[in-house]
Amino acid sequence: DEKTSSALSVPSNLLQKARDQSERGGMDAVLSGLHSAKSTIRLEQIAALRAGGIGHHVNLPQLVVCGDQSAGKSSVLEGLTGLPFPRQDGVCTKFATEIILQHSDGEQYVAATVLPAPSRSDSSKASLRAYMRQLAGLEELPTAIAEAGLLMGIRGFGDIPKGPAFAEDVFRIEVSGPTGLHLTVVDLPGLISVANEEQIEDDVGMVQKLVDTYITNPRTIIPAVVQANNDIANQGTIQKSRRVDKAGQLTVGIITKPGLINAGTEKRIALLAKNQDTTKLKLGYFLVKNPTPTEIAAGVTEVQRQKNEMRYFESSL
């Protein structure tokens, strides 16, 4: 309706700019101005250190997508990287996933490996380190994720009826080629509010510990994902990031699922998106629209996703 459209409207000049960028090729056009010889060399050095496992001992720059379960983190991550992450209702991220993007002029090369947790036995570490899959294309990524989950012994993967619900191991994806950017992004399991039959108290504690391990890195930028249809006071992501980012220099709010807003709450979300609500961030918030299940099933492309998002914000909800 008009009230909703007005509350969540985007300035016309920003819409036109985003529309132009989408028509020129999406993410590549947005990021093309961020390259320089100096930054490229530095980011390549960081990627090499991370590939050697140095990140366990030295804090390396990274983006860590953090949020509650089913907040839309994987969808945000896909929008950032262009990688097709599995997204289904009721299915959550079970282990940390590090995506290392390295821009080059050569052909695209995609490889998946597993970095075992320090707590693993020597034999288990050897088994996990032995996993290496070169992907013929990004469409094979969901298969590689399933293989990694099975190798980690996580319940629900393959024929594993029992076992941990989450793992401290790291699934790593390295993508080199015309990616358009040098970047390391980390997807984490979602924070669990209440334990249940599927996710017990030990699982809650493991996820909390895993998230803390990543966001306490002083070189971590935190895209904190919150759902528009859930009161922000009930979502611990912002509070957790504030505890480690007291100066507010590293946390950016990402508001997802605006299409699920209850009637009458549009003004509250509009104030939050404009950083005028009681929960303010120094770097503010961005409002995004996640692809619908129908769009995902139809195989929506990155460019089409951006066009759909523009169309959504230009129209009434």
Side-chain angles (χ1 to χ4, degrees):
D1 55 29
E2 292 183 3
K3 177 183 176 183
T4 302
S5 179
S6 176
L8 295 180
S9 62
V10 179
S12 58
N13 63 322
L14 295 181
L15 282 171
Q16 184 59 50
K17 181 179 180 181
R19 189 187 300 109
D20 291 344
Q21 290 169 338
S22 178
E23 292 174 353
R24 289 197 301 268
M27 188 66 75
D28 289 343
V30 176
L31 297 168
S32 61
L34 299 181
H35 298 294
S36 71
K38 183 177 180 180
S39 63
T40 296
I41 292 172
R42 181 60 54 84
L43 290 168
E44 287 176 345
Q45 292 171 337
I46 292 171
L49 290 171
R50 192 180 303 280
I54 304 300
H56 279 306
H57 310 286
V58 177
N59 292 322
L60 299 174
Q62 59 192 356
L63 270 72
V64 175
V65 181
C66 179
D68 288 353
Q69 277 191 354
S70 302
K73 301 188 311 304
S74 293
S75 180
V76 170
L77 186 69
E78 182 170 312
L80 283 171
T81 65
L83 300 181
F85 279 80
R87 292 167 294 166
Q88 295 174 256
D89 289 338
V91 177
C92 62
T93 303
K94 297 292 187 178
F95 41 80
T97 301
E98 293 183 356
I99 304 98
I100 303 175
L101 304 176
Q102 301 179 69
H103 179 74
S104 68
D105 295 329
E107 294 184 0
Q108 186 180 71
Y109 172 83
V110 185
T113 56
V114 175
L115 184 64
S119 59
R120 291 272 189 181
S121 66
D122 290 343
S123 60
S124 180
K125 287 179 181 178
S127 175
L128 291 169
R129 287 197 184 103
Y131 177 82
M132 192 279 185
R133 179 186 177 109
Q134 183 175 341
L135 282 62
L138 294 176
E139 65 277 0
E140 295 184 2
L141 181 56
T143 300
I145 291 175
E147 290 175 348
L150 182 62
L151 193 61
M152 293 175 191
I154 298 175
R155 184 174 70 249
F157 283 93
D159 298 325
I160 301 177
K162 296 182 179 180
F166 301 90
E168 295 178 305
D169 310 299
V170 177
F171 179 64
R172 176 172 290 160
I173 308 159
E174 297 180 50
V175 184
S176 61
T179 62
L181 68 163
H182 286 271
L183 188 65
T184 295
V185 187
V186 183
D187 184 28
L188 296 176
L191 297 169
I192 306 170
S193 300
V194 181
N196 53 42
E197 293 181 357
E198 292 295 322
Q199 298 169 150
I200 61 175
E201 290 292 344
D202 286 348
D203 298 326
V204 175
M206 176 183 285
V207 172
Q208 293 279 356
K209 179 182 176 182
L210 182 62
V211 172
D212 288 343
T213 298
Y214 276 90
I215 67 173
T216 51
N217 176 351
R219 293 180 177 175
T220 290
I221 296 174
I222 309 169
V225 179
V226 295
Q227 301 178 69
N229 60 322
N230 187 3
D231 194 320
I232 194 170
N234 299 327
Q235 303 180 65
T237 307
I238 300 298
Q239 288 72 19
K240 182 177 281 291
S241 65
R242 279 178 165 177
R243 285 198 293 270
V244 299
D245 178 26
K246 298 185 184 300
Q249 299 282 6
L250 301 171
T251 305
V252 180
I254 310 292
I255 306 172
T256 61
K257 304 186 178 182
L260 301 180
I261 296 174
N262 294 324
T265 63
E266 302 90 353
K267 184 176 181 180
R268 176 181 61 82
I269 296 302
L271 288 174
L272 182 65
K274 296 175 183 177
N275 210 25
Q276 297 173 357
D277 197 22
T278 55
T279 307
K280 297 181 177 65
L281 292 175
K282 190 168 185 177
L283 300 181
Y285 292 84
F286 290 86
L287 186 64
V288 302
K289 180 189 177 298
N290 303 66
T292 65
T294 302
E295 290 172 344
I296 294 172
V300 63
T301 65
E302 177 189 341
V303 173
Q304 187 59 52
R305 168 181 172 160
Q306 293 180 15
K307 290 181 178 179
N308 292 346
E309 189 172 32
M310 288 300 102
R311 189 180 304 114
Y312 174 83
F313 285 118
E314 286 179 319
S315 63
S316 63
L317 303 182

